[in-house]
Amino acid sequence: MRFFIGLVVLSVCLFADNKLIIDANHFEGNDQDGIVIFTGNVKVTKVKDKLNSDRLEVEMVSTANNEKTPKKYTATGNVDFLVYANEKIYVGRGTKVIYEPLNNKYTILGNGYLEEKVDGRQLYGKEIYLDEITGRAEVVGDDKKPVRFIMKLDENQKEGDIE
């Protein structure tokens, strides 16, 4: 219970104006392991960002002044999300989604889908990696399920024209 209270205080401190809210059917925490697990209809909200999953595991790490901060979020089971970053809006889903807040990196595994709403680009693949800071994305597929990239073309372009 002490860990849970520490997590709540930490969340309020980290996101002063921007509250991190996690709703779930079940909570489990372990101070020694530095792991917090939420299961059952998990819904995470931070400002306009949202994530839904069946299970969310949060790995905590101690900072220089011995406070706990989230190091990695791992969401599994029916994962979908909406993220606002660098004037972009990302919508995605996958079997497993990992977010590393200290590096601002996302990993989408298993039936991955990522759409950048502003430009209308869509990525499909077995594994999708996104660096939120640089906007760099990498997608991995295979012979059975290759990478698919879809983008909207300018309506004035004729089929086959490349500028």
Side-chain angles (χ1 to χ4, degrees):
M1 187 56 119
R2 192 178 80 218
F3 188 77
F4 176 67
I5 294 168
L7 176 65
V8 171
V9 170
L10 171 69
S11 296
V12 171
C13 293
L14 283 175
F15 303 107
D17 306 282
N18 312 331
K19 292 180 183 174
L20 174 67
I21 300 168
I22 302 174
D23 294 318
N25 294 343
H26 185 261
F27 164 84
E28 181 181 331
N30 185 323
D31 270 339
Q32 288 182 320
D33 293 342
I35 295 178
V36 180
I37 300 170
F38 298 90
T39 54
N41 199 25
V42 180
K43 298 187 182 313
V44 180
T45 306
K46 185 183 103 182
V47 188
K48 295 190 284 185
D49 295 351
K50 298 182 184 315
L51 179 131
N52 302 303
S53 66
D54 294 334
R55 176 185 167 96
L56 176 68
E57 186 173 303
V58 183
E59 289 181 41
M60 307 296 279
V61 64
S62 294
T63 62
N65 52 355
N66 214 20
E67 293 178 356
K68 299 278 188 188
T69 188
K71 173 185 173 185
K72 181 163 79 170
Y73 297 85
T74 303
T76 54
N78 299 309
V79 185
D80 64 79
F81 62 89
L82 169 70
V83 175
Y84 291 77
N86 297 328
E87 299 178 19
K88 303 277 186 183
I89 302 169
Y90 296 99
V91 174
R93 65 178 176 268
T95 305
K96 182 179 196 175
V97 175
I98 301 167
Y99 174 56
E100 299 171 65
L102 302 176
N103 301 322
N104 289 320
K105 293 186 179 181
Y106 287 87
T107 303
I108 304 167
L109 303 170
N111 261 349
Y113 166 77
L114 182 65
E115 179 179 359
E116 197 286 299
K117 298 296 264 181
V118 175
D119 295 333
R121 291 177 291 190
Q122 298 174 15
L123 293 168
Y124 295 84
K126 207 166 78 167
E127 300 172 12
I128 301 174
Y129 303 94
L130 174 67
D131 186 319
E132 193 176 54
I133 296 170
T134 65
R136 183 180 181 280
E138 180 181 345
V139 184
V140 176
D142 59 27
D143 289 341
K144 291 182 182 177
K145 193 161 188 174
V147 170
R148 174 167 280 177
F149 176 79
I150 301 172
M151 67 182 285
K152 292 180 185 174
L153 297 175
D154 182 351
E155 290 181 20
N156 296 326
Q157 275 185 302
K158 294 179 185 167
E159 196 172 318
D161 286 350
I162 297 178
E163 294 180 9

